[in-house]
Amino acid sequence: MAHALRLARRGLRTTDPNPRVGCVLVRGGQVIGEGFHRRAGEPHAEVVALRACGDARGATAYVTLEPCSHHGRTPPCADALIEAGLARVVYASRDPNPEVDGRGAERLARAGIEVVQGVLEAEARELNPGFLSRMERGRPWVRLKLAASLDGRTALASGESRWISGEAARADGQQWRARASAILTGIGTVLTDDPRLDVRLRGHRRQPLRVVLDSRGRMPAAARILEPPGEVLWLTVAGTAAGKPPAGLPPTAQWQELPGSGSGIDLSAVSSLLAARGINELHVECGPRLAGAWLRAGLVDELVLYVAPRLLGEGARPLAIIGELASLAAAPGFSIHSTGRVGADLRIVLRPGEGAC
């Protein structure tokens, strides 16, 4: 199963909106076939492994996700395993997709195949946080990426922020973008930095959807984020543009209105909309005000923080604006998921919790 998980990771950047899945076929203690799901519309991991071995009769399949039981873009994997004459199927995590969710395992068992579930389940779930979040909670896994100085500052008072973190950290940030389904920012970042927010890794083909939250419809027509490659979703508050899309919108850009909340767009509505579009992992790169809004809404599942060994001093912009707290007990707590040095900087991955490492 550990080997199947390693195979599944090879689809980390390509399978959207499908989950990352690996499969290993074993007979007589020997691996006779293996495979992983590469991208939506192509064969699933089980079928790739079956084709690799030719004859799988009496074998055991180790699969990182419950074999599917429904017709989507491809036929059911459970049927393919049954037709191949397997004796046993071991899978790590159930598939919470309502069209599967136990039906795959049930179909295998009815065909007389021994079914074992839950092997390395935690590791398998860690591989697909976005897909599982979308299926179980109806919203994407939200990853907030920030770069800050030692004193927790993200930019000078003037707004200058290029570059707080080093080249290695910025390259590492590209890896997080590449695995995401969508990259989101706010209009403030667009007006200040004019970013493209695309993935610039050599050989990388898939561009995540770029999403801009622009509650008052201030997007410049010449903004670089509206340019190819990839598609852009421009979100405003309902009524901002009198229900009409802005003139001159490029063909790769879509515009949509959503309900407002306070002085911005309702982030729960944003999450629901993106989940409906098949967005699994939402990568957020934004300024302190929007970062604070995501944190206050309780919608951040993971915080990726790059800490640069420098001080920006008093008056520099904060990491996130979350408002004044009445007590220390009210302060949002995080647990440290992982740490690592990236060039001269420190990368800390945190998840909401009680603050205990």
Side-chain angles (χ1 to χ4, degrees):
M1 188 64 78
H3 183 46
L5 287 166
R6 286 191 292 271
L7 290 169
R9 286 192 62 83
R10 294 173 65 180
L12 191 69
R13 304 175 184 171
T14 61
T15 63
D16 260 31
N18 290 354
R20 299 122 183 178
V21 182
C23 178
V24 177
L25 300 177
V26 176
R27 185 173 56 209
Q30 300 293 319
V31 174
I32 61 172
E34 62 182 47
F36 69 97
H37 180 48
R38 189 176 298 273
R39 59 180 52 90
E42 294 188 7
H44 289 186
E46 298 94 321
V47 173
V48 175
L50 288 171
R51 290 177 179 175
C53 74
D55 180 9
R57 286 174 295 180
T60 294
Y62 294 89
V63 192
T64 59
L65 190 70
E66 177 186 0
C68 66
S69 57
H70 67 295
H71 282 270
R73 299 186 188 184
T74 57
C77 292
D79 289 357
L81 294 171
I82 293 169
E83 292 168 6
L86 266 75
R88 186 167 174 252
V89 172
V90 181
Y91 67 89
S93 173
R94 72 177 182 87
D95 186 342
N97 184 338
E99 295 186 283
V100 185
D101 200 8
R103 293 184 179 89
E106 182 182 354
R107 183 174 297 189
L108 293 169
R110 284 204 310 266
I113 296 175
E114 180 187 355
V115 179
V116 179
Q117 64 179 18
V119 176
L120 297 185
E121 181 176 5
E123 291 84 345
R125 290 185 64 86
E126 190 69 29
L127 187 63
N128 287 300
F131 175 78
L132 297 174
S133 176
R134 181 164 63 88
M135 292 297 166
E136 295 173 348
R137 304 186 298 179
R139 67 174 183 84
W141 177 271
V142 176
R143 181 177 293 114
L144 176 61
K145 178 256 181 182
L146 296 168
S149 61
L150 286 173
D151 48 351
R153 304 294 177 169
T154 59
L156 298 177
S158 64
E160 181 183 353
S161 62
R162 295 183 179 178
W163 299 102
I164 291 176
S165 55
E167 184 177 350
R170 297 196 298 275
D172 190 67
Q174 286 284 319
Q175 304 288 341
W176 292 102
R177 283 187 185 182
R179 65 174 287 170
S181 313
I183 304 170
L184 180 145
T185 194
I187 187 61
T189 298
V190 172
L191 295 175
T192 302
D193 298 334
D194 194 22
R196 293 182 64 93
L197 283 189
D198 55 352
V199 178
R200 296 183 294 276
L201 294 174
R202 181 178 298 177
H204 185 78
R205 292 164 48 190
R206 182 187 65 85
Q207 287 293 335
L209 174 71
R210 291 169 291 172
V211 184
V212 181
L213 304 189
D214 181 14
S215 59
R216 290 183 283 163
R218 297 182 290 159
M219 176 82 78
R224 294 201 305 159
I225 201 168
L226 295 176
E227 299 173 357
E231 297 182 346
V232 179
L233 179 60
W234 177 8
L235 300 177
T236 63
V237 170
T240 300
K244 298 180 181 179
L249 202 62
T252 54
Q254 302 173 45
W255 171 83
Q256 188 165 343
E257 292 183 320
L258 287 178
S261 176
S263 59
I265 298 175
D266 186 327
L267 297 182
S268 292
V270 173
S271 295
S272 297
L273 171 67
L274 295 179
R277 292 177 63 106
I279 300 302
N280 291 332
E281 295 183 21
L282 175 62
H283 181 85
V284 180
E285 295 188 23
C286 62
R289 193 170 301 279
L290 182 54
W294 280 100
L295 289 165
R296 288 196 306 274
L299 294 172
V300 175
D301 299 298
E302 192 167 62
L303 179 63
V304 178
L305 174 63
Y306 295 93
V307 181
R310 63 175 68 190
L311 299 169
L312 297 190
E314 187 177 354
R317 298 185 180 183
L319 188 71
I321 299 174
I322 61 173
E324 186 175 353
L325 300 176
S327 67
L328 190 59
F334 293 86
S335 59
I336 297 178
H337 183 66
S338 67
T339 61
R341 184 167 178 172
V342 184
D345 303 318
L346 177 66
R347 184 189 64 208
I348 310 174
V349 179
L350 308 104
R351 293 181 179 175
E354 297 302 319
C357 300

